Amino acid sequence: MDAAVAQIILHDRNIAYVVTDRTLRVVEVSGAPQILRGDGGGVLGRPLTELVPELVGSEDALEDILLGELPRFELPLVNRESHDGQTLYLTMVDLPYRDRADRIMGLMHLIEDVTGMGGLEQRLTQQRNELRFLRDELQHQNLKLVAANSELQRLDEVKSLFVSVAAHELRSPLTSISGYVEMLLDDEFGKLTDVQRGPLETLYISARRLLEITNNLLDVTRIETGRIELILQPTDLTTLVETVAEEYAPQLRAKGQRLTLQAAPDLPLALCDRTRAAQIIGNLLGNAVKFTGRGGLITVRVNRAATADDLEVAVTDNGVGIAAEDLPRLGARFFRAGSAQVTGANGAGLGLYITNSLVELHGGRIWFTSALDQGTTVYVIFPGAGSQSP
């Protein structure tokens, strides 16, 4: 290759080279001068390490090249400041310099200016370090979250245990109070005067309400701790609804309300826990009675569901209804719709939460349709048992 052509290539690619003898003194310099320390004429005869101080400490590697024991030695991305104060990134390679007889006569030290690539590599390294820092920080935060979640779970278990113990302790005396007050109201201890009966009826209603709240709290605790076990068996759902409806006859009469049951013929059996299914239907009927005014109409329909042998129970009333913005929150713990305040009915906002949970445990589904002052319909799907009722 023509020497002039070689110089053009070296200058264009920002490459310079230095040739040394076996004592590592410079005998030749050529290429891009801006990446060399000093001019070519001023460095001849000087040790290579003075021209390239970055090689200080690498003398053993250079000696191995001279002995033919190491084919090359490289220093990648060496930082060096230029005359105008800019940072240069240089890649340095040392190779054996051989004569025509292939004898090692010294070293050829190549220097290439890779500032563009070096700057990019440095930025990538910095970003990798930043990402590594962020990853470590994320892991640290995750560990803190795990610890916080564990503590919250522990506190939730303590809360559930406290509620369970408190509810158990309250239920026994409340049951006794209710029982004895009921006996007093039935004149089993002697006839009551009207003055005596009024306060006792108020006491009885309050005791029953507290007992209901206590039982609800126990159910909530069992649901949240996974301690509710269902005994699933084929059940005639129409008969079950009739039985539950009979239990609400006194409340219906007290408010002059009318309950209608409509059941399709030849319905399949439902696969459910009879006690918990009765609790679901009872909660829905209780809400319908509670939030429907005097003389209101309540309708319970039992039909086949749209899927397979499942059954659908729909409880409809013409009561106060529920605002559209409250519908998505129905079934949340302790939530009571704004329209509930209109009736003045008492409650802790746990009935529908328990109902929703029991329906889900059955593998069923529950949803609502309602509008203010236009009543409410609650739909519940119970899985079918896969056989026809007799």
Side-chain angles (χ1 to χ4, degrees):
M1 179 184 296
D2 185 89
V5 175
Q7 287 298 319
I8 292 173
I9 294 174
L10 291 174
H11 281 266
D12 182 70
R13 303 300 298 175
N14 280 333
I15 299 174
Y17 70 86
V18 176
V19 178
T20 75
D21 58 17
R22 291 187 63 85
T23 65
L24 298 182
R25 291 188 175 275
V26 177
V27 297
E28 183 182 344
V29 177
S30 187
Q34 65 271 20
I35 59 175
L36 292 170
R37 291 184 181 273
D39 57 58
V43 298
L44 295 177
R46 291 169 56 188
L48 177 62
T49 51
E50 288 186 9
L51 182 63
V52 188
E54 292 86 357
L55 290 174
V56 173
S58 302
E59 290 83 359
D60 289 345
L62 300 180
E63 184 64 27
D64 288 341
I65 293 176
L66 292 172
L67 294 174
E69 297 176 356
L70 185 68
R72 62 184 280 144
F73 177 70
E74 181 174 350
L75 292 175
L77 299 177
V78 175
N79 294 342
R80 180 180 288 180
E81 188 173 323
S82 67
H83 299 298
D84 56 4
Q86 294 184 351
T87 299
L88 300 178
Y89 291 94
L90 307 174
T91 292
M92 301 180 179
V93 178
D94 290 281
L95 302 168
Y97 181 72
R98 301 175 184 271
D99 62 9
R100 292 181 181 276
D102 202 33
R103 293 173 299 183
I104 299 176
M105 305 303 296
L107 297 181
M108 174 175 284
H109 180 79
L110 299 175
I111 308 173
E112 182 179 4
D113 186 346
V114 291
T115 299
M117 188 189 342
L120 179 61
E121 180 68 24
Q122 291 298 313
R123 288 194 293 273
L124 287 174
T125 301
Q126 182 177 353
Q127 290 175 357
R128 281 196 294 267
N129 291 338
E130 290 174 354
L131 287 173
R132 190 176 296 110
F133 171 78
L134 291 175
R135 182 197 63 192
D136 294 342
E137 183 66 19
L138 182 60
Q139 290 177 344
H140 177 67
Q141 293 298 327
N142 283 340
L143 290 175
K144 290 176 65 176
L145 283 174
V146 169
N149 285 336
S150 298
E151 179 64 12
L152 286 174
Q153 185 176 359
R154 186 189 69 81
L155 292 175
D156 191 58
E157 291 172 354
V158 171
K159 178 266 297 178
S160 296
L161 178 61
F162 170 77
V163 171
S164 179
V165 171
H168 273 292
E169 292 298 319
L170 285 171
R171 187 165 62 171
S172 295
L174 283 173
T175 302
S176 297
I177 292 170
S178 297
Y180 277 109
V181 172
E182 187 174 11
M183 292 171 67
L184 285 169
L185 291 172
D186 291 340
D187 296 328
E188 293 191 20
F189 298 104
K191 190 169 181 61
L192 297 174
T193 66
D194 291 340
V195 174
Q196 293 170 327
R197 186 172 295 277
L200 284 175
E201 287 177 346
T202 301
L203 177 61
Y204 180 73
I205 292 171
S206 297
R208 296 302 299 178
R209 185 168 69 249
L210 283 174
L211 187 58
E212 179 184 0
I213 292 174
T214 301
N215 288 331
N216 283 342
L217 287 172
L218 283 172
D219 278 341
V220 168
T221 301
R222 294 188 187 105
I223 289 169
E224 292 181 342
T225 56
R227 289 190 290 110
I228 284 188
E229 295 184 3
L230 302 182
I231 303 175
L232 301 177
Q233 52 189 321
T235 302
D236 185 331
L237 202 56
T238 301
T239 301
L240 185 64
V241 170
E242 290 173 344
T243 301
V244 175
E246 289 176 1
E247 297 175 3
Y248 280 85
Q251 291 95 314
L252 291 164
R253 284 196 299 269
K255 297 185 70 173
Q257 296 170 340
R258 185 161 57 94
L259 174 64
T260 302
L261 173 60
Q262 301 172 359
D266 301 321
L267 289 173
L269 297 175
L271 185 64
C272 62
D273 182 301
R274 293 178 184 176
T275 301
R276 294 302 183 178
Q279 184 178 357
I280 292 170
I281 296 166
N283 282 348
L284 300 182
L285 280 177
N287 281 346
V289 171
K290 188 185 300 183
F291 299 115
T292 300
R294 297 189 65 82
L297 176 63
I298 299 169
T299 303
V300 181
R301 296 185 299 276
V302 185
N303 294 299
R304 286 178 179 269
T307 56
D309 291 328
D310 295 348
L311 291 95
E312 177 185 280
V313 177
V315 180
T316 302
D317 63 62
N318 60 352
V320 296
I322 303 166
E325 59 268 22
D326 286 340
L327 284 174
R329 299 182 61 192
L330 288 180
R333 279 188 305 176
F334 303 111
F335 174 74
R336 301 189 74 207
S339 54
Q341 313 303 322
V342 176
T343 63
N346 295 309
L350 292 174
L352 278 181
Y353 170 75
I354 294 170
T355 301
N356 282 5
S357 300
L358 292 177
V359 170
E360 290 177 0
L361 286 172
H362 277 86
R365 190 162 63 92
I366 182 171
W367 71 97
F368 309 82
T369 60
S370 186
L372 280 176
D373 301 321
Q374 296 182 29
T376 301
T377 299
V378 186
Y379 300 89
V380 176
I381 300 294
F382 285 96
S387 61
Q388 295 291 326
S389 59

